[in-house]
Amino acid sequence: MDISDMARPLDGAGISAFLRSLPARPLLLGLGEARHFVGELGELRNEVFRYLVEHEGYRSFAIESDCLRGLVVDDHITAGAGTLDDVMERGFSHRFGTVPANRELVRWMRAYNEEHGEKLRFFGFDGPLEYWAESPRQALIGLYELLDGPFTDAVATRETLETLLGPDDRWSDEATAMDPSRSMGRSADAKRLRLIADDLVALLDTQAPQLSPADRERAALYGRTAVGLLRYHYWLADASPARWTRLSALRDAMMAANLRAVAENGPALVFSHNLHLQRNKSDMSFGEHVVEWWSAGALTAAHLGDRYAFLASAFGTAGGDAPPPDSVEGVLSTLPWDRSLIDARRLAGTLAEPTPRVSRDFAYFPLDPAQLKEIDGIVFLKQAVELEEVS
């Protein structure tokens, strides 16, 4: 089967041709990861972003990392705050600060901003959570301080907020992921904080003109993060069968809300796992149960339509794991280029019942042949060697 007429080398010309083939110029271009911590993909992502900045007018980058920690990185990139070592330690979640490609990206973005008047921006778009969640303190207190004025004390005093929040460790207990009884998400204090967060967000809506554009952007981030975290903590305390469905859906809903905000600074390149950026439902097995929810990409596409585009990544040989010849990745391995960009919808109409790939690497998520029509393009690496351990 000759598929070269629906593929091209992944270079600058290929990227521009792909963008021109889309029905509209995307505000958000998602580049998915089939697996976290793949060195070659991080390096390729950096090359793609540099090209998009220098030739396609892109000005923002967003990554699947804590949205509040991302403020540390953005402050460094735009204003030079902090050292690079400090930023990589404090500005990322999920161990992403240890990734060499991320360090090089931050260094390059800062260097670019030192030489250009129109600044690049950096965003984390995940919530401050994993399966458990952080304290809502930073978001709530941050919003409160930005709104500080004659109306905030009518909602709650600073002393009241501090009393209700209490020590951070009573919120950020990792054991709550598996034990709902350890969570304080349905305590009297948490319920009152949910009402206060709602009132503070409403206050932001009425007082926005008194804030600078930068403070409005940050206050909006604090507001949706505080509300999202308190919702998440509420469902961490739930013991019903709906618990993981709600938690998974809430996480991706927080991601999608952050992505819509990033789109206001678009066009932007978004880097995250394929499962978060795909347009179809995500699913996860818990014993005998399968949990399904709409991904952040699906939620974002529902709002942005054609202004959202998605490139899924896939690998041929990853480590020592080679794909079956009649799988999607096996067919793509016949392309003559080490790095390719493929029209996924045309490919879907060409393949006749490909064999689903089953990888020995539990962290690698093969392409689902049934979902190719929901993907705008595939970024394919014929070989991925630099695979770090995924915990």
Side-chain angles (χ1 to χ4, degrees), residues 66-101:
D66 183 334
C67 57
L68 298 184
R69 292 193 185 199
L71 296 173
V72 174
V73 186
D74 191 54
D75 286 345
H76 174 74
I77 286 170
T78 58
T83 66
L84 181 57
D85 286 343
D86 180 60
V87 166
M88 299 311 298
E89 181 178 350
R90 297 194 302 112
F92 291 85
S93 59
H94 307 92
R95 295 196 299 118
F96 292 152
T98 66
V99 175

Side-chain angles (χ1 to χ4, degrees), residues 142-285:
L143 177 58
Y144 186 90
E145 290 179 342
L146 284 171
L147 290 172
D148 191 21
F151 300 104
T152 49
D153 280 353
V155 174
T157 66
R158 176 67 179 263
E159 181 181 8
T160 297
L161 274 179
E162 295 287 1
T163 299
L164 292 172
L165 286 165
D168 285 348
D169 58 8
R170 70 173 183 161
W171 296 91
S172 56
D173 180 0
E174 297 185 25
T176 58
M178 302 308 297
D179 185 355
S181 69
R182 298 285 294 269
S183 171
M184 63 166 293
R186 297 192 177 185
S187 66
D189 287 351
K191 290 177 181 178
R192 189 172 174 194
L193 284 170
R194 291 186 76 183
L195 293 174
I196 291 173
D198 182 71
D199 278 341
L200 288 175
V201 170
L203 184 60
L204 172 60
D205 290 338
T206 65
Q207 301 300 307
Q210 73 179 359
L211 300 176
S212 69
D215 282 348
R216 283 199 299 271
E217 178 185 291
R218 186 159 295 201
L221 170 62
Y222 285 146
R224 62 179 177 268
T225 303
V227 170
L229 274 176
L230 287 164
R231 285 176 182 156
Y232 195 91
H233 279 288
Y234 179 87
W235 282 94
L236 272 174
D238 180 61
S240 78
R243 182 178 191 250
W244 278 111
T245 298
R246 289 294 296 157
L247 290 173
S248 301
L250 285 172
R251 181 186 182 189
D252 272 63
M254 290 179 70
M255 288 183 173
N258 286 329
L259 287 177
R260 292 196 295 274
V262 171
E264 296 177 6
N265 292 274
L269 180 67
V270 180
F271 189 67
S272 177
H273 203 286
N274 285 343
L275 297 181
H276 289 302
L277 296 182
Q278 64 191 10
R279 288 190 178 91
N280 50 290
K281 277 188 172 181
S282 298
D283 60 75
M284 179 169 54
S285 296

Side-chain angles (χ1 to χ4, degrees), residues 26-46:
L27 287 171
L28 298 179
L29 173 60
L31 174 55
E33 297 178 274
R35 184 194 193 277
H36 286 317
F37 302 109
V38 177
E40 293 93 346
L41 184 59
E43 294 168 4
L44 175 60
R45 174 209 65 192
N46 289 356

